[in-house]
Amino acid sequence: MTSPHTHESYAVLQKVVQTVGMGIEGAESIRLAENDIWRLPGRVVVRIARPGQEAAAAREVVVTRWLSQRGVPAVRPLDIEQPITVDGRAATFWEELPPHRAGDSSNLAPLLRQLHGLPNRRSSSTRWIRSYESRTA
């Protein structure tokens, strides 16, 4: 039996997928919790945030794009305008990661060194986030 939360999340998923022109056939839930995570065909993952998290979702997309532009390995958002907000819930679209294993400190140390060597990103991303927030207010 499917829970009411699953039905609600799937209804939001249908709307956000339609908004960006993707299909929903074959969608499967990865995790339905504080944030609902869905896998779509074509190695796309949709993250649906809880209500009221539009600014946080926008910030996640901005930061990961900024990291990607600087060569830092991170999950990549799809190259579409996002987040998409439907029924008060922000959804973001991501490239699905290939199969992988958990890293250890020897994997993490070089990434942290790379991350801490980057210039301060605060000013440019803050402007973008304020611009996003003013469009959605």
Side-chain angles (χ1 to χ4, degrees):
M1 178 174 246
T2 308
S3 74
H5 178 77
T6 302
H7 284 294
E8 176 192 341
S9 181
Y10 189 79
V12 172
L13 178 68
Q14 286 178 304
K15 292 175 185 176
V16 298
V17 166
Q18 182 180 12
T19 300
V20 299
M22 293 182 176
I24 195 155
E25 189 172 330
E28 60 183 281
S29 64
I30 296 172
R31 181 179 53 121
L32 302 176
E34 182 176 344
N35 296 297
D36 299 339
I37 313 294
W38 292 87
R39 177 182 294 116
L40 300 178
R43 303 194 49 80
V44 173
V45 172
V46 181
R47 179 181 175 271
I48 303 172
R50 65 188 184 280
Q53 295 299 307
E54 293 86 357
R59 194 169 37 253
E60 290 165 359
V61 171
V62 168
V63 170
T64 55
R65 285 182 175 154
W66 185 86
L67 290 170
S68 175
Q69 291 167 353
R70 283 146 186 84
V72 177
V75 178
R76 303 211 191 291
L78 294 190
D79 190 21
I80 60 174
E81 188 170 329
Q82 48 180 325
I84 306 297
T85 302
V86 169
D87 297 338
R89 298 184 68 187
T92 51
F93 292 76
W94 305 85
E95 295 177 12
E96 184 178 10
L97 293 174
H100 58 282
R101 63 177 177 74
D104 59 23
S105 59
S106 68
N107 303 116
L108 183 59
L111 295 174
L112 287 173
R113 192 170 21 262
Q114 181 182 10
L115 180 65
H116 288 283
L118 295 173
N120 185 332
R121 59 147 195 86
R122 184 166 295 219
S123 60
S124 62
S125 62
T126 301
R127 276 193 306 274
W128 190 92
I129 290 167
R130 285 188 185 132
S131 169
Y132 171 79
E133 289 172 343
S134 68
R135 286 185 293 143
T136 60

